[in-house]
């Protein structure tokens, strides 16, 4: 759907430029945007490399495990039906930690593994309707309550250090790139609290 949307916008832009005699400006914009894309990619490569190193140090030092232990009561509150020690809890916590640190790109692999483990958990429960859905196409596949909760929380994405936004602001000449930190914390705290209330309110598998 997004591919069709972007393709449509590009086609409309080109047609409008041709109709108004601005094809030269469109060509110039394409070249300038390509240069900016390369420059931004190099900037983000440095940011990603730096924070990947920080995350690796945190992992090797045991700090990441301590953070995960601290979050375990919250994770259990949000996912009470997941058995303690289940593999999905580790991936869910890692995803939450990465999002809190503003490492959305780092949260994605853990999020995908969490979804996979949650699917396996639902199958282990012997949920006939879910097992039947797994035989269908991905388009028609049902999601468990835990999957929906995790997806909503992942989208709400509490962030204490929005590194991507700071890097973007720095790249485009902001005089104070870190000014976004305070508003981002407030906005994501509110969105996460709303997500938690919504998930608990809509949970059809309360125990």
């Amino acid at each position: 759907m997004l591919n069709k949307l972007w393709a449509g916008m590009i086609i409309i832009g080109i047609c409008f430029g041709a109709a108004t005699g601005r094809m030269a400006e469109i060509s110039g914009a394409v070249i300038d945007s390509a240069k900016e894309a390369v420059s931004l990619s190099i900037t983000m490569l440095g940011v990603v490399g730096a924070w990947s190193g920080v995350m690796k140090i945190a992992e090797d030092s045991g700090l990441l495990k301590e953070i995960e232990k601290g979050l375990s009561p919250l994770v259990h509150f949000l996912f009470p039906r997941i058995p303690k020690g289940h593999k999905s809890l580790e991936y869910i916590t890692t995803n939450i930690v990465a999002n809190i640190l503003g490492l959305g790109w780092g949260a994605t692999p853990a999020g995908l593994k969490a979804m996979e483990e949650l699917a396996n958990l639902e199958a282990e429960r012997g949920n006939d309707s879910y097992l039947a859905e797994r035989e269908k196409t991905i388009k028609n596949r049902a999601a468990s309550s835990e999957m929906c909760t995790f997806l909503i929380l992942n989208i709400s994405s509490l962030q204490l250090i929005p590194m991507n936004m700071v890097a973007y602001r720095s790249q485009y000449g902001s005089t104070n790139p870190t000014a976004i930190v305070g508003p981002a914390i407030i906005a994501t705290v509110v969105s996460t609290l709303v997500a938690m209330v919504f998930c608990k309110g809509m949970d059809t598998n309360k125990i």
Side-chain angles (χ1 to χ4, degrees), residues 97-132:
V97 171
N99 274 324
I100 288 175
L101 296 177
L103 309 176
W105 41 265
T108 301
L112 293 174
K113 292 297 293 184
M115 281 294 192
E116 182 179 339
E117 291 298 331
L118 288 174
N120 293 334
L121 175 62
E122 195 69 11
E124 290 168 7
R125 288 171 177 164
N127 189 326
D128 294 337
S129 62
Y130 186 79
L131 290 172

Side-chain angles (χ1 to χ4, degrees), residues 5-16:
L5 180 62
W6 280 110
M9 292 173 63
I10 292 172
I11 292 172
I12 291 173
I14 293 175
C15 291
F16 182 81

Side-chain angles (χ1 to χ4, degrees), residues 127-163:
N127 189 326
D128 294 337
S129 62
Y130 186 79
L131 290 172
E133 287 294 340
R134 292 196 69 177
E135 299 300 323
K136 298 180 181 179
T137 62
I138 294 176
K139 183 185 296 184
N140 296 324
R141 188 172 295 173
S144 67
S145 177
E146 286 87 359
M147 287 180 176
C148 294
T149 298
F150 175 65
L151 180 60
I152 293 171
L153 290 173
N154 192 58
I155 293 172
S156 69
S157 186
L158 169 63
Q159 290 190 7
L160 299 182
I161 311 173
M163 288 308 304

